[in-house]
């Protein structure tokens, strides 16, 4: 769109509200700042594990491991997700954020930022070297736990801002189906709010009093259970925005249409139902939990396969119908008309392909017998590097190549597009070395969360060492890709002015109508609560009633 300015020349009319743009950019730029710092910690960690360097100035391996996990798995993802969701909510629910929504978005941003700065400083001072899972009895400075509480509370405020915008739109459009992006954003933040109740409870009620010395002991089993009540849906908090891109954005980018609105919404609701009450499958090797309840939660875990397969079917149906509409034939004829040279498609599609082996690894991790083979080995770390560090990260990178131009009123140039393709390929090569070596050496028994100086006296260390060197090589390649991505982000923010469309897909004309039941939130939230109570009430009460003698002060406190 063009407008005439005071000098009589034509100026580009902004396609995205300036105030909304500032909020989105604040989240995106903060996210990539965390990615850079986390990448530095990660490459140093890999070089130490490969026996290539010795850290100077008293810097500890586990200090780097904590910084890497917190900054990349928690901070980068959370900031990017909230920024992305706010952009889509703004575009799909009225074209502009309401004043109170914008205000809550900024309050949430500053609370999270305060918490992030405090946590980072405490980690760098080596007062919070407890890894991103912060398992007790490892103890950090109380200010680390206070920082975590600020981050969680700030994200809640941001989530309520999204809920407020959605509710206002529904009130003014009573008989209309909400836009698919907005619906998915609400499900994503609902999952986050429900899941983070667990980590907020253990931080506020257990860790902060314990770290200040107000109580002498902590119930380790309860703290781990509350963490993994949060820890598994955290994975789907990473994945749901990825699915939003795959369902809603990619069809528009390839010139096709969304295969089914109803199927997309149902898959998100099923993921909401089955991704929260399943934390015990991360605790299969731990005592203190009845095998019966572990078995029940493993069954619930495998239910997540259903919406995942629905997602795969819907995506490839979109690709095929788009290809058929363009005259392609054959089983894979649709692949010929996909925009392989467009980084906005190429990066997320590579994430989709990587998610196939990543999902297979997840099934192994959740299976009791196979989990015993890989538990606490580098296989598990390799799995996370396929899911969040590849499928999710590449999709987020692909989103960035159009999101920054949209909100800054700029365009993606051919040069930036090529750099994006190179960055994606570099990331895939680095992850092939890193994650491939992690999976392989994990099967050989190499433990996770250990430095070179910890395992180099092990009788199998000679067998493991080549794989650890390969991991370090992969880490160096990935760090180059991180730096290139930061350069690309800066380049996108300084790209030529122009109008870039927000790529929201449209539903195919032949798609079946979406049942109104899908937007009856009381039904779905009620089902989530029922499943959580069913899966956790009896085992949690059993933990409280049968805590060890040193844990009773926590209960009475």
């Amino acid at each position: 769109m063009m407008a005439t300015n005071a000098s009589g020349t034509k100026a580009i009319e902004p396609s995205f509200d300036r105030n909304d743009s500032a909020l989105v950019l604040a989240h995106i730029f903060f996210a990539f700042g965390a990615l850079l710092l986390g990448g530095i910690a990660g490459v140093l960690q890999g070089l130490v594990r490969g026996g290539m360097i010795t850290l100077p100035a008293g810097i500890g391996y586990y200090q780097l491991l904590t910084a890497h996990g917190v900054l990349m798995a928690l901070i980068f993802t959370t900031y990017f997700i909230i920024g992305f969701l706010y952009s889509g909510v703004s575009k799909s629910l009225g074209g502009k954020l309401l004043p109170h929504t914008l205000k809550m978005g900024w309050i949430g941003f500053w609370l999270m930022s305060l918490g992030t700065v405090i946590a980072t400083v405490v980690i760098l001072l080596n007062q919070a070297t407890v890894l991103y899972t912060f398992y007790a009895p490892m103890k950090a400075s109380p200010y680390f736990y206070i920082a975590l509480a600020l981050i969680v509370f700030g994200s809640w405020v941001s989530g309520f801002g999204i809920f407020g915008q959605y509710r206002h739109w529904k009130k003014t459009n009573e008989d209309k189906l909400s836009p698919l992006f907005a619906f998915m954003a609400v499900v994503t933040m609902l999952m986050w709010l429900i899941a983070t109740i667990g980590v907020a409870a253990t931080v506020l009620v257990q860790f902060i009093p314990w770290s200040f010395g107000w109580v002498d002991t902590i119930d380790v089993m309860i703290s781990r259970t509350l963490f993994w009540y949060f820890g598994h849906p955290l994975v789907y908090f990473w994945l749901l925005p990825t699915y939003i891109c795959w369902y809603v954005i990619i069809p528009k980018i390839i010139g096709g249409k969304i295969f089914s609105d109803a199927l997309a919404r149902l898959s998100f609701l099923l993921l909401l139902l089955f991704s929260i009450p399943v934390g015990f499958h991360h605790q299969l090797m731990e005592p203190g939990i009845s095998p019966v309840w572990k078995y029940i939660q493993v069954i619930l875990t495998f239910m997540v396969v259903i919406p995942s397969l629905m997602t795969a079917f819907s995506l490839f149906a979109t690709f095929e119908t788009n290809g058929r509409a363009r005259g392609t034939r054959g089983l894979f004829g649709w692949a010929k008309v996909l925009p392989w040279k467009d980084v906005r498609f190429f990066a997320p599609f590579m994430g989709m392909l990587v998610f196939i082996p990543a999902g297979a690894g997840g099934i192994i991790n959740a299976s009791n017998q196979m989990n015993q083979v890989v538990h606490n080995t580098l296989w598990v770390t390799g799995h996370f590097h396929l899911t969040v560090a590849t499928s999710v990260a590449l999709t987020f990178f692909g989103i960035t190549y159009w999101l920054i131009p949209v909100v800054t009123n700029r365009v993606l140039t051919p040069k930036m597009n090529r750099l994006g393709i190179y960055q994606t390929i570099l990331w895939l090569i680095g992850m092939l070395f890193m994650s491939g070596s992690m999976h392989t050496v994990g099967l050989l028994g190499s433990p996770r969360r250990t430095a070179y100086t910890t395992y180099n006296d092990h009788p199998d260390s000679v067998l493991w060492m080549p794989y650890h060197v390969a991991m370090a090589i992969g880490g160096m390649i990935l760090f180059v890709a991180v730096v290139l991505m930061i350069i690309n982000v800066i380049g996108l923010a300084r790209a030529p002015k122009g109008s870039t469309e927000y790529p929201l897909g449209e539903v195919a004309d032949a798609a079946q109508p979406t049942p109104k039941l899908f937007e009856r939130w009381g039904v779905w939230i009620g089902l989530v609560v029922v499943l959580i109570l069913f899966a956790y009430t009896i085992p949690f009460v059993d933990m409280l009633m049968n805590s060890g003698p040193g844990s009773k002060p926590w209960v009475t406190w």
Side-chain angles (χ1 to χ4, degrees):
M1 297 177 66
M2 305 293 289
T4 304
N5 59 24
S7 63
T9 60
K10 289 186 176 180
I12 299 168
E13 185 176 310
S15 61
F16 202 89
D17 183 79
R18 292 182 183 274
N19 293 325
D20 299 358
S21 174
L23 178 64
V24 173
L25 284 175
H27 284 85
I28 299 302
F29 289 156
F30 200 105
F32 280 103
L35 180 74
L36 178 60
L37 292 176
I40 294 171
V43 69
L44 292 175
Q45 178 191 334
L47 292 172
V48 171
R49 192 179 186 98
M52 297 179 177
I53 65 170
T54 300
L55 293 170
I59 300 173
Y61 174 84
Y62 299 102
Q63 185 180 2
L64 292 176
L65 183 54
T66 303
H68 178 69
V70 170
L71 289 171
M72 299 195 89
L74 295 178
I75 304 304
F76 167 68
T77 55
T78 302
Y79 273 84
F80 190 94
I81 289 167
I82 292 176
F84 174 49
L85 295 185
Y86 263 100
S87 74
V89 166
S90 169
K91 196 65 181 177
S92 62
L93 295 180
K96 181 179 180 180
L97 295 177
L98 298 171
H100 75 271
T101 302
L102 194 65
K103 182 178 180 180
M104 294 186 78
W106 279 115
I107 292 173
F109 172 81
W110 288 115
L111 284 171
M112 289 195 302
S113 299
L114 176 61
T116 301
V117 170
I118 294 172
T120 304
V121 169
V122 174
I123 292 170
L124 294 177
L125 291 175
N126 204 22
Q127 296 177 7
T129 304
V130 290
L131 315 187
Y132 98 102
T133 49
F134 55 92
Y135 286 157
M138 293 188 294
K139 184 191 293 187
S141 163
Y143 299 104
F144 175 74
Y145 303 118
I146 291 171
L148 292 180
L150 285 171
I151 294 168
V152 170
F153 182 67
S155 69
W156 288 357
V157 175
S158 297
F160 284 119
I162 291 173
F163 298 155
Q165 183 90 7
Y166 178 86
R167 184 180 180 186
H168 178 270
W169 190 92
K170 288 296 291 183
K171 281 187 174 181
T172 54
N173 298 269
E174 292 184 1
D175 297 327
K176 293 183 179 180
L177 186 70
S178 65
L180 182 57
F181 190 113
F183 175 90
M184 291 176 160
V186 170
V187 174
T188 302
M189 292 311 297
L190 268 177
M191 176 181 289
W192 176 252
L193 263 69
I194 296 171
T196 47
I197 290 172
V199 72
T202 188
V203 165
L204 292 174
V205 180
Q206 287 188 292
F207 281 95
I208 290 178
W210 179 57
S211 60
F212 271 117
W214 300 338
V215 296
D216 295 329
T217 59
I218 191 169
D219 191 312
V220 174
M221 179 56 67
I222 288 177
S223 68
R224 288 169 73 98
T225 299
L226 288 173
F227 177 86
W228 283 116
Y229 167 89
F230 153 78
H232 184 75
L234 171 64
V235 175
Y236 285 90
F237 176 66
W238 298 329
L239 284 172
L240 288 186
T242 304
Y243 284 6
I244 293 176
C245 175
W246 297 353
Y247 269 115
V248 182
I249 306 300
I250 292 299
K252 183 71 172 180
I253 289 174
I254 68 174
K257 292 190 175 183
I258 300 169
F259 175 71
S260 172
D261 179 279
L263 188 63
R265 292 178 197 252
L266 179 59
S267 69
F268 265 59
L269 290 172
L270 292 178
L271 286 167
L272 176 66
L273 291 177
F274 295 121
S275 65
I276 295 177
V278 294
F280 285 167
H281 89 254
H282 289 270
Q283 299 173 268
L284 290 176
M285 299 297 105
E286 295 182 11
I289 303 171
S290 167
V292 173
W293 290 104
K294 290 178 181 179
Y295 176 77
I296 290 171
Q297 291 208 12
V298 165
I299 296 299
L300 290 173
T301 302
F302 283 126
M303 294 297 290
V304 178
V305 173
I306 296 173
S308 297
L309 292 176
M310 289 167 58
T311 298
F313 170 79
S314 181
L315 293 174
F316 284 94
T318 296
F319 296 147
E320 182 165 2
T321 53
N322 175 62
R324 298 291 184 185
R326 294 170 183 246
T328 63
R329 295 291 182 269
L331 186 60
F332 296 104
W334 48 267
K336 299 176 183 178
V337 297
L338 293 176
W340 297 105
K341 295 182 180 180
D342 187 341
V343 68
R344 302 172 304 163
F345 164 79
F346 180 70
F349 187 80
M350 290 299 104
M352 292 182 203
L353 293 183
V354 170
F355 197 61
I356 297 172
I363 292 174
I364 291 171
N365 295 340
S367 303
N368 184 40
Q369 289 85 349
M370 288 188 285
N371 179 268
Q372 295 179 48
V373 177
V374 300
H375 185 72
N376 267 343
T377 70
L378 272 169
W379 166 283
V380 179
T381 313
H383 170 69
F384 284 135
H385 279 79
L386 281 188
T387 52
V388 64
T390 307
S391 294
V392 172
L394 286 181
T395 301
F396 287 3
F397 295 162
I399 291 168
T400 303
Y401 286 106
W402 59 259
L403 181 57
I404 291 180
V406 164
V407 300
T408 57
N409 213 37
R410 299 178 186 274
V411 293
L412 175 65
T413 63
K415 179 181 179 181
M416 292 301 305
N417 184 71
R418 284 196 303 274
L419 286 175
I421 296 289
Y422 298 152
Q423 191 274 339
T424 302
I425 294 172
L426 202 60
W427 194 272
L428 290 168
I429 294 171
M431 201 56 72
L432 178 64
F433 276 91
M434 174 172 278
S435 183
S437 299
M438 286 178 171
H439 278 88
T440 305
V441 78
L443 291 176
L444 298 175
S446 181
R448 61 188 297 202
R449 302 190 181 103
T450 50
Y452 171 75
T453 53
T454 304
Y455 72 76
N456 64 349
D457 292 329
H458 192 281
D460 289 331
S461 62
V462 175
L463 177 65
W464 298 338
M465 198 60 205
Y467 298 99
H468 290 292
V469 172
M471 286 163 46
I473 293 171
M476 288 187 283
I477 297 172
L478 285 167
F479 182 68
V480 174
V482 167
V483 173
L484 181 56
M485 189 66 213
I486 299 300
I487 294 172
N488 291 347
V489 168
I490 296 171
L492 289 167
R494 302 178 64 183
K497 288 288 185 178
S499 181
T500 298
E501 180 186 15
Y502 199 111
L504 288 175
E506 299 176 359
V507 180
D509 297 333
Q512 294 295 314
T514 301
K516 292 184 178 180
L517 175 64
F518 289 173
E519 292 199 289
R520 294 185 61 182
W521 295 105
V523 173
W524 302 107
I525 295 173
L527 286 173
V528 171
V529 172
V530 168
L531 283 171
I532 292 170
L533 292 176
F534 168 73
Y536 277 100
T537 301
I538 293 177
F540 200 78
V541 169
D542 183 62
M543 290 178 201
L544 289 173
M545 298 299 294
N546 296 289
S547 298
S551 302
K552 294 303 181 182
W554 175 85
V555 179
T556 56
W557 190 90

